[in-house]
Amino acid sequence: MMEHIIKLLPELNVAFFETLIMVGIALLFAVIIGLPLGVILFITDRGLFLENKWVKQVVGIIINLIRSVPFIILLVFLLPVTSLLLGTTIGPMAASVSLSVAAIPFYARIVESAAREIDKGVIEAAVAAGASPWMIIRHIVLPEAKPGLITGLTITAISLIGYSAMAGTIGGGGIGDLAIRYGYYRYDDTVMFTTVILLIVIVQLVQYMGDFIAKTVDKK
Amino acid sequence: MIELREITKEYGKKDKIVAVDNVSLRVEKGEIYGIVGYSGAGKSTLLRFINALERPTKGSVHVDGIDLLSLSNKALRKARQSIGMIFQGFYLVASKTVYDNVAFALLAAGVSKKHIEEKVDHLLNVVDLADQKRKYPSQLSGGQKQRVSIARALANDPKVLLCDEATSALDPNTTKSILSLLRNINKKLGITIVIITHEMEVVKEICHRCAVMREGRVVESGTTFDIFSNPKDELTKTFIQNVLEFHLPDSLIDQVQGKLVKLMFLRDLATDSVVSDMLQRFKVKGNILHGKVEYIQETPLGVFIMDVSGEEAEVNQAISYLEKRVNSVEVINDGTHYQALA
């Protein structure tokens, strides 16, 4: 059995980095696009400093739309877009397109709920001090929501690791793809268990790191 | 300095709730003004008109001659920098140190880094927290947190300081020290202060003038001394009772032989001589059962309860003598009456 695993190592190594790339890129977009969207959802809410029913509604509906499509459908649905963007629908880069599209609204909602945990009074005090909306976002909302934002990023990362297995099935690569190819199609239990254990270890590590960082930045 | 004119605030469209009902209020420069009322009386909303955190449905708001409701967002932010505000819940930023909490207000006003450092150090000295500047709010006591929020409110040298139940979450000793800090700020920096509270003690302690609110209206207003010595509205009377009234045990009242009178002395405390004069002139016995002198804005207001006994005619004469010499005499219990019955 050991031999079998050792023989598999190079492929496992490649798969591991493919997963890392897919999840990493999707997380990056979740932060670059999802975070601002989440902040917009929060600050345009009723009674807040940039209250705007229309913006909130439009952003909210788009986010719900994407989130209500099952990921496996989203994958197929986005193939033309991926092909247009990258010229291919195969490989981890291609898979990260649909993963990003799924991750952005997911994280945006998490950001919104993390921001809602902030005491409204703290924001009112900043408004009363004459701070601009940008000042309040940068110096009050983001720092105060930081532990929640980090916990949320951990949750997003772990969900993405799961999603990446699905993305693997349509040619994305990664650990999940390996598990399905060897484990499911070839009935190779050893590979299946090895990959599952590897995934468990990754998820545990991500969770542990996320909790640790969130705890360190929390000053409450 | 502050002028609210015929302000009304309504919430909701169908079932209108009137939070503030046609209130006009003027606060002079350098004054400490108190607004008293139970929760839901609209005082918190009224306070928020002064920095336009709330916008009235009708009426106008002027602070330092500026019509706040006509300003653009940017101009309003600028105006708010000269109106500090502190809250019952302190509302400090938990993820920032004491220093950064105060610095934020300066940053918001666009003050340069170098000046911020000097200014924050100075402000923390004013509120006596210079040694705590690297701490986080969670490491401070309630009184210290309120001091940080005062420093933050004073950061941009405001002309007005608004206090929203600023001492309601604090114990009596801490309340005293925060109030004396506010009084100092008012005296030394000449900042106009508006305080809303449900504690008459706070008003008694530092307010020059005050208004009493009920159901969105101002039911009574005037100098603190006048409100305390001569309250007109029932609500005002209930409020000052907490500070001035006292109860005698029933068993004591039952033992009263003469007439139980309540004497009130305003401004001038000639108690001893009035009472001893009375005792010399009339054949009555006087026995003080209860007494208290409150200093309201450094002016004494004394209340004494006295049992005056003797022959009824003498007692009555003695009481009418008292009526001439003190500000108010009230017969609360006529013991002679009970005696007659017995």
Side-chain angles (χ1 to χ4, degrees):
Chain A
M1 197 179 108
M2 244 356 248
E3 249 175 69
H4 193 55
I5 296 176
I6 289 169
K7 244 188 0 203
L8 196 74
L9 265 180
E11 215 172 333
L12 209 60
N13 200 27
V14 171
F16 177 73
F17 279 104
E18 281 173 346
T19 298
L20 217 63
I21 286 170
M22 285 191 281
V23 174
I25 290 175
L27 272 185
L28 190 70
F29 278 100
V31 173
I32 294 174
I33 304 173
L35 180 66
L37 283 179
V39 171
I40 288 172
L41 280 175
F42 173 66
I43 59 175
T44 53
D45 204 3
R46 252 189 89 183
L48 274 151
F49 54 97
L50 285 181
E51 179 177 341
N52 189 322
K53 218 165 78 189
W54 291 109
V55 173
K56 169 136 187 120
Q57 287 276 335
V58 170
V59 176
I61 287 172
I62 294 173
I63 283 176
N64 290 346
L65 250 155
I66 301 174
R67 292 201 61 199
S68 47
V69 180
F71 182 67
I72 195 94
I73 311 283
L74 194 72
L75 260 177
V76 180
F77 191 68
L78 285 173
L79 283 178
V81 181
T82 310
S83 161
L84 199 76
L85 278 174
L86 300 170
T88 175
T89 57
I90 306 286
M93 290 302 277
S96 55
V97 173
S98 44
L99 278 176
S100 300
V101 171
I104 290 165
F106 187 84
Y107 192 54
R109 282 292 181 207
I110 290 177
V111 171
E112 183 196 10
S113 72
R116 278 194 198 184
E117 293 292 311
I118 303 171
D119 192 335
K120 295 279 179 302
V122 175
I123 293 168
E124 189 186 29
V127 174
S132 66
W134 171 239
M135 275 278 179
I136 299 174
I137 293 168
R138 200 184 137 203
H139 290 279
I140 312 285
V141 176
L142 293 181
E144 286 291 272
K146 211 197 263 170
L149 297 181
I150 290 166
T151 309
L153 208 59
T154 313
I155 296 170
T156 312
I158 290 170
S159 297
L160 284 173
I161 293 170
Y163 283 175
S164 75
M166 279 190 249
T169 58
I170 62 157
I175 304 171
D177 174 45
L178 199 68
I180 287 168
R181 269 193 292 133
Y182 283 81
Y184 186 65
Y185 296 140
R186 296 188 203 167
Y187 305 104
D188 187 339
D189 290 346
T190 318
V191 178
M192 179 103 106
F193 281 122
T194 314
T195 51
V196 169
I197 288 167
L198 187 58
L199 284 172
I200 291 173
V201 171
I202 294 175
V203 168
Q204 294 292 345
L205 268 175
V206 170
Q207 185 70 55
Y208 175 78
M209 266 166 52
D211 286 348
F212 178 77
I213 299 171
K215 217 173 180 177
T216 322
V217 299
D218 195 353
K219 301 290 180 197
K220 272 191 191 131
Chain B
M1 178 56 88
I2 299 165
E3 188 161 13
L4 304 181
R5 235 176 284 157
E6 292 168 13
I7 293 236
T8 297
K9 175 80 181 184
E10 291 162 350
Y11 289 107
K13 279 175 188 157
K14 266 191 182 168
D15 303 300
K16 265 186 201 163
I17 298 165
V18 182
V20 175
D21 190 1
N22 197 29
V23 169
S24 295
L25 198 77
R26 228 186 121 87
V27 180
E28 304 300 334
K29 192 173 160 49
E31 196 172 33
I32 303 182
Y33 197 93
I35 301 170
V36 200
Y38 289 120
S39 51
K43 55 193 198 306
S44 204
T45 312
L46 194 69
L47 190 77
R48 279 164 175 71
F49 290 140
I50 303 175
N51 59 2
L53 281 179
E54 288 274 1
R55 289 181 166 264
T57 320
K58 268 178 261 169
S60 70
V61 181
H62 286 84
V63 176
D64 199 22
I66 300 169
D67 177 4
L68 286 191
L69 302 176
S70 72
L71 297 179
S72 67
N73 283 341
K74 202 178 165 198
L76 180 59
R77 287 203 288 273
K78 188 90 197 133
R80 277 177 179 155
Q81 282 155 20
S82 57
I83 307 171
M85 189 170 188
I86 61 173
F87 307 84
Q88 177 175 6
F90 321 125
Y91 297 151
L92 298 174
V93 185
S95 54
K96 287 184 189 295
T97 59
V98 166
Y99 177 92
D100 286 326
N101 263 284
V102 180
F104 173 74
L106 293 157
L107 214 59
V111 178
S112 74
K113 270 251 154 64
K114 204 185 99 195
H115 284 101
I116 288 179
E117 210 174 319
E118 263 171 50
K119 186 82 195 193
V120 175
D121 285 339
H122 169 72
L123 287 162
L124 289 178
N125 269 323
V126 170
V127 299
D128 217 6
L129 278 181
D131 49 340
Q132 311 282 333
K133 73 179 191 180
R134 294 287 160 226
K135 285 201 175 154
Y136 285 92
S138 61
Q139 298 167 293
L140 303 178
S141 70
Q144 288 173 321
K145 284 182 197 167
Q146 197 57 288
R147 282 167 189 275
V148 178
S149 87
I150 291 172
R152 175 177 67 179
L154 295 179
N156 294 307
D157 305 312
K159 293 178 178 123
V160 175
L161 179 63
L162 308 177
C163 309
D164 183 3
E165 297 274 7
T167 58
S168 302
L170 304 173
D171 63 68
N173 277 333
T174 317
T175 297
K176 279 241 158 76
S177 80
I178 293 290
L179 290 179
S180 82
L181 175 62
L182 290 175
R183 196 191 291 119
N184 276 338
I185 288 165
N186 169 259
K187 267 190 191 154
K188 284 186 190 150
L189 308 174
I191 295 175
T192 309
I193 298 180
V194 181
I195 292 180
I196 64 170
T197 182
H198 61 267
E199 299 167 311
M200 219 51 197
E201 282 287 342
V202 171
V203 175
K204 188 200 88 186
E205 203 73 31
I206 66 169
C207 295
H208 303 128
R209 287 199 303 145
C210 66
V212 181
M213 274 190 91
R214 181 180 54 207
E215 290 161 13
R217 283 180 210 170
V218 171
V219 291
E220 193 166 357
S221 67
T223 67
T224 303
F225 190 81
D226 285 346
I227 294 280
F228 270 85
S229 57
N230 190 17
K232 298 208 169 62
D233 191 86
E234 274 312 308
L235 181 66
T236 319
K237 284 179 189 166
T238 326
F239 266 116
I240 64 161
Q241 248 172 27
N242 300 330
V243 179
L244 269 189
E245 287 287 314
F246 19 67
H247 281 289
L248 289 175
D250 285 343
S251 59
L252 196 71
I253 292 177
D254 288 344
Q255 287 166 21
V256 167
Q257 296 184 350
K259 286 188 176 182
L260 203 58
V261 290
K262 183 171 147 191
L263 312 177
M264 199 186 251
F265 296 85
L266 307 184
R267 293 184 181 87
D268 186 22
L269 278 184
T271 339
D272 285 343
S273 73
V274 173
V275 173
S276 60
D277 284 358
M278 177 198 76
L279 292 176
Q280 276 170 12
R281 281 189 189 212
F282 305 95
K283 278 193 200 151
V284 291
K285 280 183 184 165
N287 188 15
I288 290 185
L289 301 178
H290 211 323
K292 196 176 190 183
V293 180
E294 283 290 346
Y295 288 85
I296 295 160
Q297 299 299 301
E298 290 162 11
T299 313
L301 170 61
V303 181
F304 297 91
I305 292 180
M306 211 179 155
D307 175 14
V308 185
S309 59
E311 269 183 42
E312 201 177 345
E314 281 289 309
V315 169
N316 286 342
Q317 276 185 348
I319 290 173
S320 39
Y321 173 78
L322 284 176
E323 276 167 354
K324 279 177 212 147
R325 298 270 317 255
V326 304
N327 297 75
S328 131
V329 179
E330 189 189 334
V331 178
I332 2 182
N333 199 319
D334 194 345
T336 54
H337 179 61
Y338 294 119
Q339 268 187 338
L341 280 177

